[in-house]
Amino acid sequence: RKEVEQDPGPFNVPEGATVAFNCTYSNSASQSFFWYRQDCRKEPKLLMSVYSSGNEDGRFTAQLNRASQYISLLIRDSKLSDSATYLCVVKKAAGNKLTFGGGTRVLVKP
Amino acid sequence: EAEVAQSPRYKITEKSQAVAFWCDPISGHATLYWYRQILGQGPELLVQFQDESVVDDSQLPKDRFSAERLKGVDSTLKIQPAELGDSAMYLCASSLGGTGGPATIYNEQFFGPGTRLTVL
């Protein structure tokens, strides 16, 4: 079993709609959680950190459920520019090593 | 804006040949990471340096892969001999710190554009 699992998608989303997807992690020692965004053939870039209380950054909302060991990302009012692969990332307490999920591909269409 | 530099951007080689990739991290970043990303998968850490020292190379296939960061600045990743299964994107990342400080602190990793390797 992979340490971080994601639905690979693609999620086909009409422009302006809301899309949400989850990621599950298996290691309960995971301490910090992030969503990275990766455009086609580009490098990953940090989208947002995920806090225990949930957090919002503009149209993006991230949630963490430690009991069930999953995190989620919700995108409201989807834009064509939101089309990308969203990578779920976890970090253990010690060190700065990141473990990436396989990514969820989102395609926003007019 | 400071960026992580990588070269070459693309590399095509035949199996059994040697290849080398170069990375120049953001100035002042003590920690450097090499990742491999196979198409359709997330990046997987190969090796992590803190200054010139290797702090994690548990996922590096040491029979054919080697990495060095001699002066604690730029780094080279080498594959010898290359195999068909090595075809992937090789990403370099850097961060300000990595192994010290409070456990919950995350020093953001900034990625370079990657080197896309194709082994024929």
Side-chain angles (χ1 to χ4, degrees):
Chain A
R1 182 185 175 189
K2 293 182 180 178
E3 194 169 333
V4 182
E5 298 207 61
Q6 296 183 247
D7 182 338
F11 284 64
N12 294 300
V13 185
E15 191 176 10
T18 295
V19 61
F21 41 89
N22 294 339
C23 153
T24 59
Y25 60 95
S26 61
N27 193 328
S28 58
S30 299
Q31 181 70 31
S32 305
F33 308 87
F34 312 91
W35 284 103
Y36 269 69
R37 172 193 168 127
Q38 187 171 27
D39 294 314
C40 188
R41 297 182 177 273
K42 299 279 191 172
E43 70 273 22
K45 293 184 179 179
L46 179 64
L47 177 67
M48 60 195 300
S49 301
V50 186
Y51 303 122
S52 296
S53 55
N55 50 300
E56 195 173 299
D57 183 359
R59 297 180 295 105
F60 296 83
T61 300
Q63 297 278 354
L64 167 63
N65 186 318
R66 285 190 184 273
S68 300
Q69 296 188 190
Y70 76 86
I71 68 174
S72 63
L73 182 66
L74 182 146
I75 308 173
R76 285 187 304 277
D77 188 22
S78 298
K79 310 293 185 189
L80 296 177
S81 58
D82 294 333
S83 295
T85 295
Y86 292 85
L87 298 163
C88 174
V89 188
V90 305
K91 185 184 91 69
K92 294 189 183 72
N96 213 48
K97 178 179 177 179
L98 301 179
T99 302
F100 286 79
T104 295
R105 191 171 171 211
V106 173
L107 295 174
V108 182
K109 298 185 176 182
Chain B
E1 183 176 304
E3 295 179 341
V4 176
Q6 289 188 247
S7 68
R9 294 292 308 277
Y10 303 91
K11 179 69 178 179
I12 299 174
T13 191
E14 293 184 346
K15 63 180 181 180
S16 79
Q17 296 298 303
V19 291
F21 314 132
W22 177 81
C23 172
D24 191 14
I26 294 172
S27 178
H29 280 193
T31 311
L32 185 147
Y33 314 78
W34 282 102
Y35 289 87
R36 176 173 60 188
Q37 185 174 23
I38 296 170
L39 191 65
Q41 299 181 21
E44 176 191 27
L45 180 69
L46 292 174
V47 61
Q48 177 181 341
F49 289 91
Q50 180 70 24
D51 299 310
E52 68 277 5
S53 301
V54 173
V55 296
D56 186 344
D57 63 356
S58 56
Q59 300 301 311
L60 188 71
K62 299 181 187 64
D63 57 334
R64 297 184 301 108
F65 286 64
S66 64
E68 60 183 18
R69 193 184 184 199
L70 294 177
K71 297 182 179 179
V73 182
D74 58 340
S75 175
T76 302
L77 178 70
K78 297 179 181 178
I79 308 175
Q80 183 173 18
E83 295 181 353
L84 296 177
D86 296 332
S87 294
M89 174 79 89
Y90 290 83
L91 292 159
C92 178
S94 70
S95 66
L96 273 172
T99 58
T104 55
I105 291 294
Y106 170 55
N107 292 295
E108 183 178 349
Q109 295 184 24
F110 295 86
F111 286 81
T115 296
R116 184 170 295 279
L117 173 67
T118 301
V119 182
L120 303 175

